[in-house]
Amino acid sequence: MTDTVASELQAPRSLNHIAYPTWDSQRTHDFYTRVLRCPLIAAIRQDEVPSSGARTPFLHTFFGLADGSAIAFFEVDGLPEYEPDAVPSWIRHLALNIDSMEELLTWKAHFETEGVEVNGIVDHDGVWESLYVFDPNGVRIELTLQTRELTEQDAREGAANLQAWNQRG
């Protein structure tokens, strides 16, 4: 690829899907369809990884979001059980947009009715109002309402924060 062509590239248009491992596809299905209200839109079963040809039987499930993107999971035969590592559970998460505070409160009540432990509603710097749950695979899900657009001032402050972080002693 030439530098001219590369310089014309823009950020990808949108998210198609994000994938996580699962050790129980049925439990994952039940959570995403019943609790999170995402329809099952596809499930692909294969014995070989298409990109590498490795013999690795798997089921790849996809659950749809309202904008056409998806949350996906791989259940892989023989995958060792998940063992938490040194990364805190709050770092790896999937943030999903919602449209109003009323909707956020409705989701909170829904999760509580379903017996899902809810953390929040948390105000993040006057920009996002969020609540958090964990799916059966340990994936932290954040439902978030962005209360204002990010501005050039936010970008300037972000650059200053990055610079200060990089210069810390």
Side-chain angles (χ1 to χ4, degrees):
M1 179 180 307
T2 67
D3 288 339
T4 303
V5 173
S7 68
E8 294 174 7
L9 287 176
Q10 296 181 9
R13 180 174 45 83
S14 62
L15 177 71
N16 181 277
H17 71 275
I18 187 165
Y20 293 97
T22 183
W23 289 264
D24 187 335
S25 290
Q26 186 62 54
R27 215 169 139 216
T28 298
H29 170 273
D30 295 347
F31 178 86
Y32 280 88
T33 59
R34 189 187 78 241
V35 178
L36 207 53
R37 307 295 176 145
C38 298
L40 175 70
I41 58 174
I44 300 164
R45 182 178 176 181
Q46 294 190 342
D47 291 326
E48 291 183 358
V49 179
S51 59
S52 69
R55 176 138 178 81
T56 309
F58 65 86
L59 179 67
H60 191 19
T61 52
F62 295 80
F63 301 91
L65 298 174
D67 72 352
S69 62
I71 304 166
F73 293 88
F74 282 97
E75 184 170 352
V76 177
D77 276 353
L79 186 67
E81 282 296 318
Y82 172 73
E83 293 185 30
D85 53 24
V87 177
S89 65
W90 54 269
I91 292 176
R92 291 185 182 142
H93 67 277
L94 175 63
L96 303 171
N97 290 312
I98 55 95
D99 292 324
S100 69
M101 182 56 76
E102 180 181 359
E103 184 180 359
L104 193 61
L105 292 167
T106 301
W107 275 110
K108 185 175 192 288
H110 171 69
F111 288 138
E112 290 167 345
T113 299
E114 290 288 338
V116 176
E117 185 176 334
V118 179
N119 182 352
I121 296 173
V122 177
D123 177 359
H124 293 289
D125 304 316
V127 180
W128 300 276
E129 296 282 342
S130 302
L131 63 84
Y132 301 89
V133 299
F134 283 95
D135 83 353
N137 306 296
V139 175
R140 190 175 203 209
I141 298 169
E142 173 184 1
L143 294 186
T144 190
L145 169 64
Q146 189 164 339
T147 57
R148 69 171 178 82
E149 292 295 318
L150 294 172
T151 65
E152 286 298 320
Q153 179 63 29
D154 292 305
R156 285 190 294 277
E157 290 172 10
N161 285 335
L162 176 62
Q163 182 178 18
W165 178 264
N166 289 333
Q167 293 175 349
R168 71 192 187 286

